[in-house]
Amino acid sequence: MDCERIKALLLSYMDDETDDDERKLVEVHLSGCAECTAEMEALAVTGSRLRQAYETVAAGVSPSPAVWQTIQDRVAARQAIGESDADRVGSRWGWLFGWRHPVWRTAMAGAAMLSFMIVFAINSAPVSMWTAAEQQAIDIATNDPAVLALLDGQGVVYEVIPVNGDSDAELYQVVFMSSHEAASRNFGGYTGLEINTDSVSGEFNYSDGADVPLCFDALSTQSNAIVDVSNKAVVEYGNYSVEVEADCLTAEQVQDAVQIAKTDSRIGDGARVINVALLNNYNSEQGEFTDEMVIWVRLSIDGDTYFAQVDLDEQRVVKIVDGGE
Amino acid sequence: MAKHIGLEDFEKTFQQYKDTVFKTAYLIVGNVQEAEDILQEVFVKVYEAAGTFDPQKGSMSTWMHRITVNQCISQKRKKRAVSYSSEEMEERGFELTDPSDELPEEMVIQREEVANMWQAVKSIDAKHRAVLALRYFDGLSYDEIAQTLNIPLGTVKSRLNVAIKNLRTEMLGGL
């Protein structure tokens, strides 16, 4: 019996998770093998240290007292949505898609290659993309002379990421995507960051949208500002270059998706299209996002937001989920 | 219409499992704020999906662990989609101190061994961190881990072996 096979069984053996045959095999081998006996002792030490580390680390953390109230508020809101719209959309899985921001996938190809694969068309009406604190971070960043100089009149806020970790500081990373000529064209004339506006939605309007869709097809520079919201200050800022490949929807695909969604009997003509996006699909059974990219039409119906997943090949709405905030 | 759990039962369930969910999540994602977000998501899901829970198919504990681990992994995926590592940010000129890389502030860990082990745990991927946390923190059996993650027993064994091997490699590398 070779040692490698025995070593592969040692952990199960120590955890009493082997069958009788395996146990006998290991015990016979260990009686005559110093190397595997030492390996087992080393595994025992690692396991013991790991348990100790987990106990120590876990003992030092606990959820905030406010979390129960937050959960109650959220389920109350979900219930209200479910009760008012159950007949129309009937989805109880909307919580899965309570996205405040477009969900997009960044794939690493090679060591430094970044591929950005989401583009979304934004309606000119204010879109509640950001929380109050995130909006405050945007406002602080876009009022900072150094950040403005960095952006040089170009750039679109496309993500705000909390970076405060475990600390009490309210730090946010405001990420700007510079829009060079190609991207600007796809932005339908929305070429610069609009300072001090209530949203970052710009002038683009889907219903007038000859320029749909937005498509970052060759972006090369990102600008970042780290904002301390508590102290209303930009802590850090800088540019970095990325190589980008885009996976975009064509204008025809967007128009087609909207048409399919609006002609679905569950949705109807009264729906207002907020945006169309290529997003990661969600496997509700596995409870996780998949690598499959699917088309979602985000809609506002009587003031509530819904996502309709559209299959262009089958020319149908696959499913409708409520859209959270 | 989903069959919701009653509020009183919901609160009892929350009180019973909140620490398990939160701490397990923390040990997988390594960040207090993320763990709290996961705690929220898990219990919103519990509330929404309580009507689908079938005790014949597994215990409430297994169900909770499953939702928690799934949420941890999808949360990490989303985070990966919108964020960059501190190393990447520093390469780009930011002097970022990511407190999530530190042990919880309220803890004063003087035992270097524990700190080193925790750093080693955080260096391995989420799937392997999940099996480690379920086994070495929550004390689940291999069968329970298999049910929780909906993976074969053999996969549990191989993931644990790989995870422990990686931990030892990291620990040796840190010496």
Side-chain angles (χ1 to χ4, degrees), chain A residues 94-103 128-129 279-282 289 296 298 307 321-325, chain B residues 78:
Chain A
W95 65 273
L96 297 174
F97 296 94
W99 304 320
R100 281 179 291 103
H101 312 308
V103 176
S128 298
M129 293 180 68
L279 302 171
N280 295 84
N281 201 359
Y282 192 90
F289 289 93
W296 294 91
R298 195 177 188 198
F307 284 98
V321 297
D322 67 60
E325 299 168 49
Chain B
K78 282 190 279 184

Side-chain angles (χ1 to χ4, degrees), chain B residues 4-147:
Chain B
H4 296 307
I5 188 173
L7 196 56
E8 194 175 326
D9 288 340
F10 184 45
E11 183 165 9
K12 277 183 191 168
T13 307
F14 175 77
Q15 294 301 341
Q16 185 178 350
Y17 288 101
K18 69 178 165 68
D19 284 336
T20 300
V21 170
F22 176 80
K23 288 174 189 285
T24 300
Y26 178 72
L27 295 179
I28 296 172
V29 301
N31 178 291
V32 167
Q33 186 56 55
E34 276 187 67
E36 192 156 307
D37 289 346
I38 288 163
L39 176 65
Q40 281 189 37
E41 297 300 333
V42 166
F43 277 93
V44 170
K45 179 162 188 177
V46 166
Y47 181 79
E48 294 281 348
T52 68
F53 171 67
D54 181 357
Q56 303 294 323
K57 293 181 180 174
S59 69
M60 175 65 91
S61 173
T62 300
W63 192 53
M64 284 285 179
H65 278 112
R66 179 183 300 151
I67 301 172
T68 303
V69 173
N70 284 339
Q71 194 62 43
C72 287
I73 291 172
S74 70
Q75 190 98 348
K76 293 304 284 185
R77 184 171 297 188
K78 282 190 279 184
K79 184 187 177 193
R80 187 176 58 202
V82 298
S83 191
Y84 300 94
S85 69
S86 54
E87 289 81 6
E88 285 174 310
M89 291 301 292
E90 283 170 7
E91 281 172 12
R92 291 169 180 136
F94 291 102
E95 294 178 4
L96 280 184
T97 300
D98 181 358
S100 67
D101 288 340
E102 306 295 331
L103 294 168
E105 282 185 1
E106 61 269 30
M107 289 173 59
V108 180
I109 296 189
Q110 295 175 334
R111 286 171 293 181
E112 194 178 339
E113 206 170 85
V114 170
N116 287 343
M117 178 61 83
W118 180 230
Q119 290 303 320
V121 167
K122 290 172 77 172
S123 73
I124 63 179
D125 66 69
K127 278 185 179 176
H128 289 95
R129 281 201 304 273
V131 292
L132 286 180
L134 293 175
R135 176 65 195 162
Y136 290 90
F137 177 68
D138 293 308
L140 268 56
S141 69
Y142 288 17
D143 264 337
E144 289 169 328
I145 295 172
Q147 284 179 43

